[in-house]
Amino acid sequence: MIDIRDFNSLGGADHGWLTAKHHFSFANYRDPERFGWGKLRVWNDDLIRAGTGFPPHGHRDMEIVTYVREGAITHRDHLNNEGRTVAGDVQVMSAGTGIRHEEWNLEDVDTRIFQIWIEPAKQGLRPRWETASFPKEDRKGRLVPLASGKKDAVAEALWIAQDAEILGATLDAGAEVTHLLGKDRLAYLVPAKGRVEVNGVEVTERSGAAIRDVETLTIRALDDAEFLLVDLPPED
């Protein structure tokens, strides 16, 4: 099953400094048919205006992965972590027992991000934050793990506390990649740029594809494309 969540059907909010689209129920957006996808609870598509951002606030017991599509985001937290994550790169924050942080677009251009929340396999973990660079040219024509908690995760992927994996790829129009998912697992795919086909089903830019009961995914680019794929454990 491949269920398309068209971009125009997503919930959202416009706060002036922040324009957000929500693939799943979040904040004031509630859709009983879209309360996450397995352990994937949030996928927000955010535009953060230049010189603005999220003031200090707290989280608990959630793996929060930020993929920067354009611009850059600067993170600060109560553990004295501070860093800047630029377009194409990834940051991971394990909220664990509790973390208070802030996120700012200190650039002179707008920043666009995907923010992905995944439930951890265990609660009460030690909170942490890290960021890493993943050059887009290294992802051309292949899926690269960006964040992973799988047992066979590559060393370069940022660690998350769940049997899940976030992969990224860039494809020239007409090119394709495959991913062995397994029929017992779930997946969610979103093109950051361009259109792709997943096993023959078209997914337009910034729309979502919720996938289950599929052994192998064949992803073909209809345009020059950049996309993220989340590979998730079976539902409880």
Side-chain angles (χ1 to χ4, degrees):
M1 185 205 78
I2 301 175
D3 180 29
I4 302 302
R5 281 77 183 287
D6 186 81
F7 179 77
N8 292 326
S9 75
L10 303 181
D14 190 343
H15 303 285
W17 65 275
L18 170 69
T19 302
K21 299 291 282 186
H22 308 310
H23 284 254
F24 305 107
S25 295
F26 184 83
N28 293 325
Y29 167 58
R30 289 290 184 270
D31 183 337
E33 300 299 319
R34 295 185 181 177
F35 275 112
W37 187 243
K39 299 298 182 183
L40 174 62
R41 294 305 182 191
V42 171
W43 190 308
N44 288 344
D45 181 330
D46 292 341
L47 182 151
I48 307 166
R49 299 294 180 189
T52 71
F54 300 90
H57 60 284
H59 298 280
R60 293 179 64 91
D61 291 319
M62 193 66 68
E63 302 295 287
I64 300 175
V65 181
T66 303
Y67 179 77
V68 181
R69 296 162 48 215
E70 298 176 15
I73 199 79
T74 297
H75 167 99
R76 303 186 189 103
D77 63 45
H78 83 279
L79 302 173
N80 296 320
N81 294 310
E82 182 170 346
R84 178 173 174 266
T85 303
V86 303
D89 294 347
V90 179
Q91 67 174 18
V92 169
M93 185 176 71
S94 288
T97 55
I99 192 166
R100 189 166 180 79
H101 78 128
E102 53 190 285
E103 306 279 357
W104 297 98
N105 175 10
L106 301 180
E107 316 304 311
D108 57 6
V109 296
D110 294 343
T111 287
R112 296 180 184 271
I113 65 171
F114 286 152
Q115 190 170 95
I116 300 163
W117 294 18
I118 297 174
E119 285 186 3
K122 182 180 179 181
Q123 295 190 342
L125 298 173
R126 180 176 60 85
R128 62 183 178 84
W129 173 87
E130 59 182 329
T131 185
S133 177
F134 295 94
K136 290 186 181 182
E137 56 268 23
D138 292 349
R139 288 182 262 144
K140 189 169 184 178
R142 67 190 188 104
L143 280 162
V144 172
L146 309 176
S148 180
K150 285 189 170 184
K151 292 180 180 178
D152 59 352
V154 299
E156 294 80 8
L158 294 171
W159 183 76
I160 53 175
Q162 180 54 268
D163 177 25
E165 194 162 56
I166 299 175
L167 306 107
T170 60
L171 298 176
D172 292 336
E176 67 179 37
V177 293
T178 60
H179 177 68
L180 180 60
L181 178 65
K183 284 192 174 182
D184 64 331
R185 292 180 68 86
L186 305 177
Y188 199 80
L189 180 146
V190 180
K193 293 180 180 178
R195 299 170 301 138
V196 302
E197 279 184 349
V198 182
N199 292 9
V201 178
E202 182 175 336
V203 191
T204 57
E205 184 172 306
R206 298 166 69 194
S207 297
I211 303 161
R212 71 187 315 157
D213 300 323
V214 177
E215 185 69 26
T216 301
L217 305 179
T218 300
I219 303 152
R220 185 172 73 91
L222 300 177
D223 310 309
D224 291 347
E226 171 191 350
F227 68 89
L228 293 189
L229 170 68
V230 182
D231 180 326
L232 297 153
E235 292 182 287
D236 296 335

